[in-house]
Amino acid sequence: TAEAKAQLAQEQEAARKKKLRTIKLNVDIVGAIGLAKADMGSLSDPFVEVWFQGKLVHTTKVIENTLSPRWDDEVCAVEFEAMDVPAPINEKPLEKVKKERARVEALLDIEVDSRRFTVDELEKGLADTETKQRNNDFTLKAKLLEREKLEDWNNSRRKEITGEIDGLELVKKKLAMLQVSFQERIGMHCAVIDEAVLILQNDLHGIKARQKVMEKDLAALREVHALWNTS
């Protein structure tokens, strides 16, 4: 019946787990030195008895007339079931590592997003400055050409254009300084953020490694616990 099959499967599983819990211990019996003389008219005829859990499990052959017996290839095999319950499963350290991983991953995302946003804004400012530079250079070049074409007698217009050119030259210098400022700020910001990102990435790598080890240890501990669950 189905009930009998289930009972049989349960008994077989219990037997399998018991077998896995069984420890096989081989005891090598080598010899002895300086035994006391026990026989009249001769030395001793020593032998070894191995007792385990109150039972005689092995007896060696007798070595006659010696106080320093030696046994060659004498092995006593002992089997017993491990009864010590394994350490309890504690998942709190793993949960703590997972929370730390989530925290570092969030910080890493913030740093990356911060860099992207700030650099985008700085690069936009740099692009606007470069556009203004091009427009200013075009206007400056046009004014210089216009001044060259003026007749000598038109001094008033020449002075007017020269004033405009001086203003454009000043704007050119300021825009060049602003361009350098944007470039330096982009470089400095990237360097600072890159360092912070690298530190967080290294931290995250270490946390992932610890988490992997903990998960592996917990899996092994669960397998051991399963051996004690005979239900």
Side-chain angles (χ1 to χ4, degrees):
T1 64
E3 183 177 352
K5 289 181 178 180
Q7 179 65 27
L8 178 61
Q10 186 176 4
E11 292 175 355
Q12 289 175 341
E13 178 64 11
R16 184 187 70 85
K17 291 180 178 180
K18 180 177 180 180
K19 183 178 180 181
L20 290 174
R21 292 197 302 268
T22 299
I23 297 174
K24 295 182 179 180
L25 179 65
N26 290 328
V27 181
D28 292 324
I29 302 172
V30 179
I33 298 176
L35 295 179
K37 183 177 178 180
D39 297 338
M40 295 293 295
S42 65
L43 298 178
S44 293
D45 301 325
F47 62 93
V48 174
E49 290 183 348
V50 179
W51 291 74
F52 182 75
Q53 295 181 342
K55 296 180 180 180
L56 178 64
V57 295
H58 185 81
T59 302
T60 68
K61 65 181 179 180
V62 176
I63 307 296
E64 297 180 352
N65 196 31
T66 180
L67 299 181
S68 299
R70 298 286 298 178
W71 286 271
D72 295 327
D73 301 324
E74 188 82 29
V75 179
C76 170
V78 178
E79 291 188 3
F80 60 95
E81 183 180 351
M83 299 305 295
D84 291 337
V85 178
I89 298 175
N90 182 10
E91 296 191 8
K92 289 183 178 179
L94 178 59
E95 293 300 324
K96 184 177 179 180
V97 169
K98 287 182 177 179
K99 289 180 180 179
E100 179 65 10
R101 174 177 176 175
R103 184 186 72 83
V104 173
E105 287 177 337
L107 288 175
L108 187 57
D109 290 340
I110 291 173
E111 291 292 343
V112 172
D113 290 342
S114 174
R115 171 179 175 171
R116 184 182 299 112
F117 175 78
T118 304
V119 171
D120 286 348
E121 290 297 311
L122 291 173
E123 287 180 343
K124 181 180 178 182
L126 178 60
D128 291 342
T129 300
E130 291 173 344
T131 299
K132 291 177 181 178
Q133 282 179 311
R134 288 192 295 270
N135 293 336
N136 187 77
D137 290 344
F138 178 81
T139 304
L140 178 59
K141 184 177 180 180
K143 292 296 180 181
L144 290 171
L145 290 174
E146 182 181 353
R147 187 174 65 176
E148 289 178 2
K149 293 179 180 180
L150 285 173
E151 299 292 340
D152 292 340
W153 56 268
N154 199 349
N155 289 329
S156 60
R157 179 55 182 160
R158 183 183 293 275
K159 288 180 181 180
E160 182 182 350
I161 293 177
T162 300
E164 293 176 1
I165 290 173
D166 291 342
L168 291 170
E169 291 283 4
L170 181 60
V171 171
K172 181 177 181 179
K173 291 180 180 178
K174 290 183 177 179
L175 288 174
M177 293 174 62
L178 186 59
Q179 180 187 30
V180 172
S181 175
F182 273 118
Q183 291 172 339
E184 290 179 346
R185 288 166 64 188
I186 290 172
M188 291 176 61
H189 182 76
C190 288
V192 171
I193 296 298
D194 285 348
E195 182 179 0
V197 168
L198 181 61
I199 292 173
L200 288 172
Q201 286 176 335
N202 289 336
D203 290 345
L204 185 59
H205 179 74
I207 291 171
K208 287 181 177 179
R210 293 203 305 273
Q211 180 180 345
K212 185 176 181 180
V213 171
M214 286 183 172
E215 289 174 342
K216 183 178 179 181
D217 290 345
L218 278 176
L221 188 57
R222 289 189 183 98
E223 289 181 0
V224 173
H225 269 265
L227 299 180
W228 267 256
N229 180 15
T230 58
S231 59

